[in-house]
Amino acid sequence: MRVLLADDQTLVRAAFAMLVSSARDMDVVGQAGTGREAVELARTARADLVVMDIRMPDLDGIEATRRIAADEDLAGVKVLVLTTYDTDEHIVEALRAGASGFLVKDTRPAELLDAIRTVAAGESLLSPGPTARLIARVLRLPDAPPPGVPAPAALAALSERERQVLALVARGLNNAEAAQTLGLSPLTTKTHVSRIMGKLGARDRAQLVIAAYESGLVTPTCRSESP
């Protein structure tokens, strides 16, 4: 797994580099101190995943993420956003820009490695607690739907079971947890998620979460299906 580290603090990058390099299934292929460098290195270093700090000079992590997600040559590159606080509202902007999840900087080392593996495998790193509440609160603000995020009307194409699965995904449940909740097998749930993504034209689970909240399928106070 080829990992690119983007953070404006040299010591932070060095610490992350030592940690990532210690994992047998990962290699650090580059380090960037600005968002612009991160975009350039994502291309030249052929990274599989970028660990991206939000607050960086020259070009912030959100815009850097947006450029990576919009570049057809970088279609397979995943972005894991780092933030100092899990209440940072820029998290939603980052998810809208194309990030596949976020992680707070004070997380434990093993959790960072697990997060990298999770995002690289195509899953979204969205915790069911503060992340869901944050996304719900921010997405209720008047704003035009961001490019690339499925329009709420597209949910009409989903079956009742698919809507149930999407609601659980929006709460932050993984496939196994959603399967247990609905009394399905993990494989069946995974198939439902894949079909939902296909019907909505979603790039990843993060976009499914945003679509679920923007459509009203789930709400901040009642995270369940809408009538």
Side-chain angles (χ1 to χ4, degrees), residues 92-192:
V92 174
E93 293 182 59
L95 293 175
R96 282 175 156 166
S100 293
F102 87 95
L103 198 67
V104 291
K105 283 189 174 181
D106 63 352
T107 189
R108 291 178 297 183
E111 290 178 346
L112 174 59
L113 297 180
D114 286 342
I116 292 174
R117 294 186 181 100
T118 296
V119 172
E123 297 284 342
S124 292
L125 195 71
L126 301 169
S127 64
T131 309
R133 290 194 297 271
L134 173 63
I135 292 173
R137 176 163 53 86
V138 175
L139 291 183
R140 282 185 300 165
L141 301 176
D143 194 9
V149 175
L155 268 65
L158 303 183
S159 68
E160 183 66 18
R161 177 62 82 189
E162 288 169 343
R163 287 166 62 88
Q164 292 173 344
V165 172
L166 177 57
L168 295 177
V169 169
R171 288 173 53 192
L173 276 66
N174 59 34
N175 289 347
E177 293 167 338
Q180 183 175 15
T181 300
L182 296 175
L184 304 173
S185 71
L187 180 59
T188 298
T189 302
K190 181 178 181 180
T191 300
H192 279 309

